[in-house]
Amino acid sequence: MANDALSIDSIKKKIGRNARLIDYFKNQFGSVKSKSFKKARENFCKSLAAYSLVCYILQIKDRHNGNILVDIHGHIMHIDFGFFLSNAPGKGVKFERAPFKLTSEQVEVLGGNNSQKFVEYREFMKHGFLALQEHAEKIIIIIEMMFLGQNDLPCFKAGEQTLKDLKERFFPIGRKFT
């Protein structure tokens, strides 16, 4: 799949630095009303929700446009998993404070904040998060086994706090959601 994908950086170089991601989608898939554009937007919506959830749960960092790809079907994906769980680029300076990357350009591809696709994105996020919670124990056990076997890995630099934070992301305590 990665052979048929371009980084957002590459896309912007290809169509012009000031171009937006929506411009690429229109160039690649046709008019907003075309069947191919609608299918690409649907693929983008679903994969963006999955990408957002994985980035949130695993705290994937280094989410710049060189590491975010869009494939020929409109799916978004991340490459370079060198920074996750408790480590980040920048030697202690936290450049990425947001739990996942959702840019105005990504929302624009969905059709904007008030669009049906943005509503669907939020629904995919909700259902995806509930599905992750159903399988949280399995995921946590895998991460715990990694920690017990190789706690010297950079992703475990926060020690036991890494596991506590992971569990908190799966099961937020005392947080109010709307």
Short mmCIF file of all heavy atoms in Angstrom, two decimals, residues 54-90:
data_model
loop_
_atom_site.label_atom_id
_atom_site.label_comp_id
_atom_site.label_asym_id
_atom_site.label_seq_id
_atom_site.Cartn_x
_atom_site.Cartn_y
_atom_site.Cartn_z
N VAL A 54 -5.55 5.40 17.04
CA VAL A 54 -4.28 4.73 17.28
C VAL A 54 -3.26 5.74 17.83
O VAL A 54 -2.53 5.44 18.78
CB VAL A 54 -3.76 4.02 16.01
CG1 VAL A 54 -2.32 3.57 16.16
CG2 VAL A 54 -4.65 2.84 15.66
N CYS A 55 -3.24 6.93 17.23
CA CYS A 55 -2.32 7.97 17.73
C CYS A 55 -2.65 8.34 19.17
O CYS A 55 -1.74 8.56 19.98
CB CYS A 55 -2.37 9.21 16.85
SG CYS A 55 -1.49 9.03 15.29
N TYR A 56 -3.92 8.40 19.51
CA TYR A 56 -4.32 8.73 20.87
C TYR A 56 -3.92 7.63 21.86
O TYR A 56 -3.28 7.90 22.87
CB TYR A 56 -5.83 8.99 20.94
CG TYR A 56 -6.33 9.11 22.36
CD1 TYR A 56 -5.98 10.20 23.14
CD2 TYR A 56 -7.11 8.11 22.92
CE1 TYR A 56 -6.41 10.30 24.46
CE2 TYR A 56 -7.55 8.21 24.24
CZ TYR A 56 -7.19 9.30 25.00
OH TYR A 56 -7.62 9.38 26.30
N ILE A 57 -4.31 6.40 21.57
CA ILE A 57 -4.06 5.30 22.51
C ILE A 57 -2.57 5.06 22.68
O ILE A 57 -2.08 4.94 23.80
CB ILE A 57 -4.77 4.01 22.07
CG1 ILE A 57 -6.30 4.16 22.20
CG2 ILE A 57 -4.28 2.80 22.85
CD1 ILE A 57 -6.82 4.35 23.62
N LEU A 58 -1.82 5.00 21.58
CA LEU A 58 -0.39 4.70 21.67
C LEU A 58 0.48 5.95 21.78
O LEU A 58 1.70 5.84 21.87
CB LEU A 58 0.04 3.87 20.45
CG LEU A 58 -0.60 2.48 20.35
CD1 LEU A 58 -0.12 1.77 19.10
CD2 LEU A 58 -0.33 1.65 21.60
N GLN A 59 -0.16 7.13 21.75
CA GLN A 59 0.57 8.40 21.85
C GLN A 59 1.69 8.48 20.81
O GLN A 59 2.84 8.81 21.13
CB GLN A 59 1.11 8.61 23.27
CG GLN A 59 0.04 8.93 24.28
CD GLN A 59 -0.64 10.25 23.97
OE1 GLN A 59 -0.10 11.32 24.23
NE2 GLN A 59 -1.84 10.19 23.39
N ILE A 60 1.34 8.19 19.57
CA ILE A 60 2.30 8.28 18.48
C ILE A 60 2.65 9.75 18.27
O ILE A 60 1.77 10.61 18.20
CB ILE A 60 1.73 7.65 17.20
CG1 ILE A 60 1.54 6.15 17.43
CG2 ILE A 60 2.62 7.93 15.99
CD1 ILE A 60 0.79 5.43 16.34
N LYS A 61 3.93 10.03 18.18
CA LYS A 61 4.44 11.40 18.02
C LYS A 61 5.17 11.50 16.68
O LYS A 61 5.21 10.57 15.92
CB LYS A 61 5.37 11.77 19.17
CG LYS A 61 4.73 11.68 20.53
CD LYS A 61 3.61 12.67 20.69
CE LYS A 61 3.06 12.63 22.10
NZ LYS A 61 1.68 13.04 22.20
N ASP A 62 5.77 12.66 16.46
CA ASP A 62 6.49 12.95 15.22
C ASP A 62 5.51 12.92 14.05
O ASP A 62 5.77 12.34 13.00
CB ASP A 62 7.64 11.95 15.02
CG ASP A 62 8.77 12.54 14.19
OD1 ASP A 62 8.83 13.78 14.04
OD2 ASP A 62 9.60 11.76 13.68
N ARG A 63 4.37 13.61 14.26
CA ARG A 63 3.27 13.56 13.30
C ARG A 63 3.33 14.71 12.31
O ARG A 63 2.34 15.39 12.06
CB ARG A 63 1.94 13.59 14.06
CG ARG A 63 1.79 12.46 15.04
CD ARG A 63 0.60 12.64 15.95
NE ARG A 63 0.69 13.90 16.67
CZ ARG A 63 0.17 14.12 17.86
NH1 ARG A 63 -0.49 13.17 18.48
NH2 ARG A 63 0.29 15.28 18.45
N HIS A 64 4.48 14.93 11.72
CA HIS A 64 4.61 15.98 10.73
C HIS A 64 4.19 15.44 9.36
O HIS A 64 4.01 14.24 9.17
CB HIS A 64 6.03 16.55 10.70
CG HIS A 64 7.08 15.52 10.43
ND1 HIS A 64 7.34 15.04 9.16
CD2 HIS A 64 7.91 14.85 11.27
CE1 HIS A 64 8.30 14.13 9.22
NE2 HIS A 64 8.66 14.00 10.50
N ASN A 65 4.02 16.35 8.40
CA ASN A 65 3.48 15.99 7.09
C ASN A 65 4.38 15.06 6.27
O ASN A 65 3.93 14.50 5.28
CB ASN A 65 3.13 17.24 6.29
CG ASN A 65 1.88 17.91 6.81
OD1 ASN A 65 1.09 17.30 7.53
ND2 ASN A 65 1.67 19.15 6.44
N GLY A 66 5.62 14.89 6.67
CA GLY A 66 6.48 13.92 6.00
C GLY A 66 6.19 12.50 6.45
O GLY A 66 6.53 11.55 5.75
N ASN A 67 5.54 12.36 7.60
CA ASN A 67 5.21 11.04 8.15
C ASN A 67 3.75 10.66 7.98
O ASN A 67 3.33 9.60 8.42
CB ASN A 67 5.55 10.99 9.65
CG ASN A 67 7.04 10.85 9.89
OD1 ASN A 67 7.79 10.51 9.01
ND2 ASN A 67 7.45 11.15 11.11
N ILE A 68 2.97 11.54 7.38
CA ILE A 68 1.55 11.26 7.16
C ILE A 68 1.33 11.11 5.66
O ILE A 68 1.65 12.01 4.89
CB ILE A 68 0.66 12.37 7.75
CG1 ILE A 68 0.93 12.51 9.24
CG2 ILE A 68 -0.81 12.07 7.49
CD1 ILE A 68 0.27 13.72 9.88
N LEU A 69 0.82 9.96 5.26
CA LEU A 69 0.64 9.65 3.85
C LEU A 69 -0.82 9.54 3.49
O LEU A 69 -1.66 9.24 4.35
CB LEU A 69 1.31 8.31 3.51
CG LEU A 69 2.81 8.28 3.28
CD1 LEU A 69 3.58 8.72 4.50
CD2 LEU A 69 3.25 6.90 2.87
N VAL A 70 -1.11 9.76 2.20
CA VAL A 70 -2.43 9.52 1.63
C VAL A 70 -2.21 8.59 0.44
O VAL A 70 -1.36 8.84 -0.41
CB VAL A 70 -3.09 10.84 1.16
CG1 VAL A 70 -4.44 10.57 0.50
CG2 VAL A 70 -3.27 11.81 2.33
N ASP A 71 -2.97 7.49 0.41
CA ASP A 71 -2.80 6.54 -0.70
C ASP A 71 -3.70 6.89 -1.87
O ASP A 71 -4.47 7.85 -1.82
CB ASP A 71 -2.96 5.09 -0.22
CG ASP A 71 -4.40 4.66 0.01
OD1 ASP A 71 -5.35 5.46 -0.22
OD2 ASP A 71 -4.59 3.51 0.44
N ILE A 72 -3.61 6.09 -2.93
CA ILE A 72 -4.35 6.39 -4.17
C ILE A 72 -5.86 6.18 -4.03
O ILE A 72 -6.61 6.49 -4.95
CB ILE A 72 -3.81 5.58 -5.36
CG1 ILE A 72 -3.96 4.08 -5.12
CG2 ILE A 72 -2.38 5.97 -5.68
CD1 ILE A 72 -3.67 3.22 -6.34
N HIS A 73 -6.29 5.69 -2.88
CA HIS A 73 -7.73 5.52 -2.64
C HIS A 73 -8.25 6.52 -1.60
O HIS A 73 -9.43 6.48 -1.25
CB HIS A 73 -8.01 4.09 -2.17
CG HIS A 73 -7.52 3.05 -3.12
ND1 HIS A 73 -8.08 2.83 -4.36
CD2 HIS A 73 -6.48 2.19 -3.04
CE1 HIS A 73 -7.42 1.87 -4.99
NE2 HIS A 73 -6.45 1.47 -4.21
N GLY A 74 -7.37 7.39 -1.11
CA GLY A 74 -7.78 8.42 -0.16
C GLY A 74 -7.55 8.08 1.30
O GLY A 74 -7.86 8.88 2.18
N HIS A 75 -7.02 6.89 1.59
CA HIS A 75 -6.73 6.52 2.99
C HIS A 75 -5.56 7.33 3.52
O HIS A 75 -4.59 7.57 2.80
CB HIS A 75 -6.36 5.03 3.09
CG HIS A 75 -7.41 4.10 2.62
ND1 HIS A 75 -7.36 3.50 1.37
CD2 HIS A 75 -8.53 3.64 3.23
CE1 HIS A 75 -8.42 2.71 1.24
NE2 HIS A 75 -9.14 2.78 2.34
N ILE A 76 -5.64 7.70 4.78
CA ILE A 76 -4.53 8.37 5.46
C ILE A 76 -3.82 7.34 6.33
O ILE A 76 -4.45 6.42 6.85
CB ILE A 76 -5.04 9.57 6.29
CG1 ILE A 76 -3.87 10.43 6.77
CG2 ILE A 76 -5.92 9.14 7.43
CD1 ILE A 76 -4.31 11.77 7.36
N MET A 77 -2.50 7.47 6.42
CA MET A 77 -1.74 6.54 7.26
C MET A 77 -0.50 7.24 7.79
O MET A 77 -0.09 8.27 7.28
CB MET A 77 -1.36 5.29 6.46
CG MET A 77 -0.43 5.57 5.29
SD MET A 77 -0.28 4.21 4.15
CE MET A 77 -1.72 4.47 3.16
N HIS A 78 0.07 6.66 8.81
CA HIS A 78 1.27 7.20 9.45
C HIS A 78 2.43 6.23 9.25
O HIS A 78 2.24 5.02 9.29
CB HIS A 78 1.03 7.39 10.95
CG HIS A 78 2.14 8.06 11.67
ND1 HIS A 78 2.20 9.42 11.81
CD2 HIS A 78 3.24 7.58 12.27
CE1 HIS A 78 3.30 9.75 12.48
NE2 HIS A 78 3.95 8.63 12.77
N ILE A 79 3.60 6.78 9.00
CA ILE A 79 4.82 5.97 8.97
C ILE A 79 5.76 6.53 10.03
O ILE A 79 5.56 7.64 10.50
CB ILE A 79 5.49 5.98 7.57
CG1 ILE A 79 5.85 7.41 7.14
CG2 ILE A 79 4.60 5.30 6.54
CD1 ILE A 79 6.71 7.49 5.90
N ASP A 80 6.74 5.79 10.39
CA ASP A 80 7.75 6.19 11.37
C ASP A 80 7.16 6.15 12.79
O ASP A 80 6.56 7.11 13.26
CB ASP A 80 8.32 7.57 11.08
CG ASP A 80 9.52 7.90 11.96
OD1 ASP A 80 9.82 7.13 12.90
OD2 ASP A 80 10.15 8.93 11.73
N PHE A 81 7.35 5.03 13.43
CA PHE A 81 6.84 4.81 14.77
C PHE A 81 7.97 4.83 15.80
O PHE A 81 7.99 4.06 16.75
CB PHE A 81 6.06 3.50 14.83
CG PHE A 81 4.85 3.50 13.93
CD1 PHE A 81 4.94 3.04 12.63
CD2 PHE A 81 3.66 4.03 14.37
CE1 PHE A 81 3.85 3.07 11.78
CE2 PHE A 81 2.54 4.07 13.53
CZ PHE A 81 2.65 3.59 12.23
N GLY A 82 8.92 5.74 15.61
CA GLY A 82 10.06 5.85 16.51
C GLY A 82 9.72 6.52 17.83
O GLY A 82 10.46 6.39 18.80
N PHE A 83 8.61 7.24 17.87
CA PHE A 83 8.23 7.95 19.08
C PHE A 83 6.78 7.62 19.42
O PHE A 83 5.86 8.01 18.71
CB PHE A 83 8.39 9.46 18.90
CG PHE A 83 9.80 9.88 18.60
CD1 PHE A 83 10.20 10.15 17.30
CD2 PHE A 83 10.73 9.99 19.62
CE1 PHE A 83 11.51 10.54 17.03
CE2 PHE A 83 12.04 10.37 19.36
CZ PHE A 83 12.43 10.64 18.05
N PHE A 84 6.61 6.88 20.52
CA PHE A 84 5.26 6.57 20.98
C PHE A 84 5.29 6.21 22.45
O PHE A 84 6.35 6.09 23.05
CB PHE A 84 4.62 5.47 20.12
CG PHE A 84 5.19 4.10 20.30
CD1 PHE A 84 4.45 3.12 20.94
CD2 PHE A 84 6.43 3.76 19.80
CE1 PHE A 84 4.96 1.84 21.10
CE2 PHE A 84 6.94 2.48 19.95
CZ PHE A 84 6.21 1.51 20.61
N LEU A 85 4.12 6.07 23.03
CA LEU A 85 3.89 5.80 24.45
C LEU A 85 4.45 6.93 25.31
O LEU A 85 3.72 7.84 25.66
CB LEU A 85 4.42 4.43 24.87
CG LEU A 85 3.66 3.24 24.30
CD1 LEU A 85 4.33 1.93 24.71
CD2 LEU A 85 2.20 3.24 24.74
N SER A 86 5.75 6.91 25.67
CA SER A 86 6.22 7.97 26.58
C SER A 86 7.41 8.75 26.06
O SER A 86 7.90 9.63 26.76
CB SER A 86 6.55 7.36 27.96
OG SER A 86 7.68 6.51 27.88
N ASN A 87 7.86 8.45 24.85
CA ASN A 87 8.97 9.25 24.34
C ASN A 87 8.50 10.10 23.17
O ASN A 87 7.51 9.80 22.52
CB ASN A 87 10.17 8.37 23.96
CG ASN A 87 9.92 7.49 22.76
OD1 ASN A 87 8.82 7.05 22.53
ND2 ASN A 87 10.96 7.22 22.01
N ALA A 88 9.21 11.18 22.94
CA ALA A 88 8.86 12.12 21.88
C ALA A 88 10.12 12.79 21.37
O ALA A 88 11.12 12.87 22.09
CB ALA A 88 7.87 13.16 22.40
N PRO A 89 10.07 13.27 20.14
CA PRO A 89 11.23 14.00 19.64
C PRO A 89 11.39 15.32 20.39
O PRO A 89 10.44 15.85 20.94
CB PRO A 89 10.89 14.24 18.16
CG PRO A 89 9.41 14.15 18.09
CD PRO A 89 8.99 13.22 19.19
N GLY A 90 12.60 15.84 20.46
CA GLY A 90 12.80 17.16 21.03
C GLY A 90 13.51 17.21 22.36
O GLY A 90 13.52 18.24 23.00
#
